[in-house]
Structure formats: C-alpha cells, structure tokens
Amino acid sequence: MITSAAFAGKRYAVLGLARSGAATVEALLASGAQVTAWDEREEAREAFVGRCELADPLQIDLTGFAGVVVSPGVPLNTHPIAPYAAKFDVPVIGDIELFAQARADLPPHKVVGITGTNGKSTTTALVHHILQTAGVPSVMGGNIGEPILGQDPLPEGGVYVLELSSYQIDLTFSLDCDVAVLLNITPDHLDRYDGDFEKYAASKERLIEMQSYAQLVIFGEHVFLHNRPLYDRWMRSENVCVWCMAHLFPHNSLKSDDWPGLQGPHNRENAFAAGLVGEAFNIDDELTAQGLRTFSGLPHRMERIAEIADVTFINDSKATNADSTAPAIAAFPPAPDPRVRWIVGGMAKEDDLGSLAGLMDHVAGAYTIGRDGEMFAQAIQPAAPAQYCETLGQAFAKAHGDARAGDVVLFSPAAASFDQFRDFEDRGQQFRDLVHALGEAA
C-alpha cells in the first residue's frame, strides 16, 4: 500500500468503508495516523474493531482533525458532513487528495490524470496498457481498478494513471498532474451541481487548475468544438502547455482497422488521446501502435459478446447518457440499410434524445425498457420503428426475433440503470447472460 510520513501523528475521520474507504483507513493506520472510521453498515465496521476509533464524524468534535475523508459517492451539495466539518475548519477530502499529499515520499514518478464525461475509463486503461507494452512501470487507479492507496508504490520512473470523475476532483486540492487529459464535457450528474452545467464544467477544469507551471494539458476535440471558452482560456494561459487533438491528429492520420478493442469514432478519440500521452512520455510510435492493436477493451463498453447466426451482440451498458450512446450508434451504417437493433432505456438524464436525434437513420428498430422506456419510444418513433418492452428480457427477445443476418443487437441504454438494476455492471452482465443463453440454445 501507499503510506507517507505526512500522515503520521495526524487525526483523520473516514466516512464510508467500502473499497476506497477501507484502503484509506489501512494506509493511514500504516502511516501512523490516528483514525476515526464510520460506516452505517455494521459488517463494514467489523474489520476495524479494536484497530481505530469507530464513530460517526457527524457526532464527534472534529477540532484538530487534518481532514474528513469521504467517498466520491457522498453528495457534497446535500450531505451534512460538508457544513459540519466547516464548523471546525476541517477540509472534506478524498483518497486522491491523500495520494497527492503522499507523493513526496514515493520514488520519483509521473502522474497522468484523465477526466471527461465520456471515455475516461477506456482512455485510462489504454494509457496504462500502452505504458506496460513499452515496459514502463505503471498502475491505474482512481475511478477504475483498485483503490490507489491500496496499491504498491511504483519504482523510480513509474507512472500513476488516474481516471478522475468530477466527484473525485471535488475532493482533491493538490494533485499536480504531469499530464492532464480533458476529453469532453457534456451535461451529466447535474443533480450534484444544483442543475448548473457551468458548475459541473468548472469541476472538470479544476484538474488543470491544480497543475504547476509548464505541465501538459491534452484537450479532446470535443472541448475545442463545444467548450470553446474553457479551451480559449487555457490556450491564452502561460501556466500550462496545451496540446489539442483537433490540431495534432487530423481524423485521417490514424487507421483503426487493426484495433479490435477500439471500434467506433469515440474510441478513435480515446486512442488519439492515449497516443498523445505516449508521445508526452517519449514512447516509441511502434510500441504505441502495438498497444492499440493488443488492447482488448473494457467490459460494458462496446463489448462484442458474440456473433450468433450472423447477428452480432454488443454490450455497451456503460453508456448512461445520450452523448455516450451516440458514437456507439454512429459506428454502424445509416440508411438505406440500417443494421442496429437498439435496446435503450432506464432512468433518462434528458427529456429527449439530445445528440441521438440525428442518428435515427442508423436504427433498424428500437426496443425500449425501464422507467422512461415509453418516453424513449415516443421520441424515437417518428424517425425509426420503436416499441416499449418494459424489461431487458422482453426487449432482447424482440430485438433478436426481428434481427436478420448482418444486423447488430446493440445494448446501449443512454440512461442510468438504478430503476431495474444494481448498477451498469449488473445491467451489462444480465445482457451477457441473455446472449450466452441464446448461444447455448442455438
């Protein structure tokens, strides 16, 4: 695990003892800190009985504490911990901030921070894979993989590759990334930002604001095209060095035919971003190309499950909003011969199709599910055949029944999962199970 003398003798409260919270407590205890830990679930507290104080931070005097460490899932705009800690002038932080404070005690290394509304998980995993392909010691953490404080420190010359959600950035104040990547910003998670898109965008931008002089920022083309004031602000800045994919990688400069795990236009963007990170670390072009060829992709992200009777089944359950589903649909041919049998629905984040509206000529048929399935069906129906199926099982049966040779059954919900599933992973696994059952019966 990652430990630091910076924590020794200090007092911390840790609220939430799931994976990152538990790893945080272990790292702080191993560093000689005094820890008060709490989780509403008794089973989560059991591992720390007799090892640290167990008490709800909202019920104790926080005078003198160095920080209250919370999970990124804690909504700072509504949870009482933020105003309560403020009464004692105690910062509310996350495990990424503790990692940032521990960096001085680690062997010399670099940090890549990757954020954006869509694509950050794939880009993070791809950067990590390219570095590993080139023989550079690296780990990935943050919003992907194992909690960063629970991982072993890298040797000298290593690279920590961090996927960072806006929630994690909100809890981080001193992370000075050697390379910061901002892929895109589109409306999402606005309930955490009081419905204000500008607040959400400002959260993403803070990753750059934390960088020190002359560090590198890589902007996705989407930022250049759609978040121009933010882009222009940093282009004029003398504090950081800016690279933009829109200028450095024209769309015809890389060929993705040999990238089986990176299909679709959105994954070309992710590949471009990862390629620029490789260039920043002087990775040989051929090693970067090898990394792109051998990357297997991530589960639930344009994951090709099987081809059965000349019909391809793709699990894109991670697509929880319109902007993340749009490139998945765009990856397949439009009229006059649309091939996509699209399973869509759940808890919608928009009142209409948004960026999907112009892509309905790619859709041979839509099969809608979940709480807002009827809304999706009504929005799609004028431009493409659509039917409300309520459940994933019903939609799968109808999509498969309608599919003809050469079609793609695409499960890309464009909505949150919590109406019918535990999370997007549970939702994607249920789709996988349906495909595998179909294959066994074939």
Side-chain angles (χ1 to χ4, degrees):
M1 73 180 69
I2 291 175
T3 60
S4 174
F7 308 141
K10 294 181 180 178
R11 300 177 68 192
Y12 293 88
V14 179
L15 179 59
L17 298 176
R19 290 199 316 158
S20 65
T24 296
V25 174
E26 296 288 3
L28 287 172
L29 290 175
S31 300
Q34 300 177 49
V35 179
T36 299
W38 186 251
D39 193 292
E40 291 184 353
R41 298 169 298 127
E42 183 177 357
E43 62 271 22
R45 302 194 301 266
E46 287 177 354
F48 301 103
V49 173
R51 302 178 59 203
C52 64
E53 180 183 9
L54 293 173
D56 186 343
L58 286 167
Q59 304 298 323
I60 64 174
D61 187 337
L62 294 175
T63 302
F65 276 63
V68 176
V69 187
V70 303
S71 159
V74 172
L76 295 182
N77 61 328
T78 59
H79 197 280
I81 190 60
Y84 184 76
K87 293 178 182 178
F88 301 90
D89 198 26
V90 174
V92 177
I93 60 176
D95 64 330
I96 301 299
E97 174 59 24
L98 290 177
F99 168 75
Q101 295 176 18
R103 290 183 64 188
D105 290 331
L106 297 174
H109 62 276
K110 301 291 186 182
V111 171
V112 180
I114 299 169
T115 195
T117 304
N118 300 305
K120 55 186 178 292
S121 295
T122 296
T123 304
T124 299
L126 182 54
V127 169
H128 173 59
H129 180 70
I130 289 172
L131 291 168
Q132 296 271 295
T133 301
V136 177
S138 67
V139 297
M140 62 179 180
N143 206 40
I144 191 172
E146 296 299 316
I148 192 62
L149 294 178
Q151 301 197 46
D152 291 334
L154 291 170
E156 182 173 350
V159 180
Y160 295 87
V161 188
L162 304 179
E163 177 193 342
L164 299 170
S165 69
S166 60
Y167 302 167
Q168 289 168 310
I169 296 171
D170 289 341
L171 296 167
T172 306
F173 303 93
S174 61
L175 181 67
D176 181 7
C177 294
D178 299 273
V179 180
V181 180
L182 179 52
L183 296 165
N184 47 62
I185 312 176
T186 60
D188 202 5
H189 307 302
L190 296 188
D191 57 319
R192 288 281 292 261
Y193 298 94
D194 305 318
D196 189 337
F197 174 71
E198 294 304 321
K199 287 184 180 179
Y200 172 63
S203 174
K204 297 288 190 186
E205 189 175 7
R206 284 194 57 253
L207 182 63
I208 307 170
E209 292 172 352
M210 287 186 281
Q211 289 182 284
S212 58
Y213 180 74
Q215 301 289 49
L216 176 64
V217 180
I218 297 173
F219 283 121
E221 183 178 29
H222 187 280
V223 178
F224 172 73
L225 294 175
H226 301 288
N227 306 106
R228 197 54 180 268
L230 183 155
Y231 173 83
D232 289 342
R233 184 159 57 249
W234 289 103
M235 280 298 295
R236 292 192 298 266
S237 170
E238 297 180 357
N239 189 59
V240 295
C241 174
V242 175
W243 291 357
C244 181
M245 288 156 49
H247 305 312
L248 295 174
F249 276 122
H251 275 212
N252 61 357
S253 66
L254 286 180
K255 297 187 181 299
S256 59
D257 295 344
D258 295 331
W259 306 345
L262 292 164
Q263 296 303 300
H266 58 314
N267 275 325
R268 285 178 62 83
E269 299 269 340
N270 298 335
F272 293 163
L276 283 176
V277 175
E279 185 172 328
F281 290 127
N282 299 311
I283 303 299
D284 182 83
D285 288 348
E286 179 49 41
L287 289 172
T288 295
Q290 181 181 338
L292 294 170
R293 286 195 301 270
T294 58
F295 182 66
S296 60
L298 290 175
H300 313 296
R301 298 160 176 86
M302 288 296 284
E303 178 186 19
R304 188 177 294 260
I305 304 299
E307 184 176 312
I308 302 170
D310 292 326
V311 174
T312 301
F313 294 84
I314 294 178
N315 168 28
D316 194 38
S317 178
K318 184 62 171 69
T320 60
N321 57 51
D323 287 318
S324 53
T325 288
I329 291 178
F332 302 101
D337 190 24
R339 292 290 183 164
V340 175
R341 302 286 172 178
W342 178 31
I343 301 176
V344 54
M347 299 173 67
K349 296 181 178 179
E350 296 108 334
D351 295 330
D352 54 28
L353 293 178
S355 56
L356 291 164
L359 294 169
M360 292 304 97
D361 59 339
H362 295 247
V363 176
Y367 310 84
T368 72
I369 65 173
R371 187 194 73 179
D372 295 316
E374 291 184 293
M375 180 276 288
F376 276 108
Q378 291 172 7
I380 294 166
Q381 187 63 55
Q387 51 186 306
Y388 175 52
C389 302
E390 190 173 0
T391 69
L392 176 57
Q394 293 168 351
F396 182 86
K398 290 185 178 180
H400 168 248
D402 290 347
R404 55 195 173 93
D407 279 1
V408 174
V409 175
L410 173 66
F411 182 38
S412 189
S417 58
F418 304 117
D419 55 337
Q420 295 182 324
F421 307 92
R422 184 176 64 253
D423 50 31
F424 78 85
E425 292 168 318
D426 174 43
R427 178 170 69 179
Q429 184 58 52
Q430 291 195 35
F431 179 77
R432 281 182 185 152
D433 292 344
L434 290 166
V435 176
H436 292 321
L438 179 65
E440 291 171 0

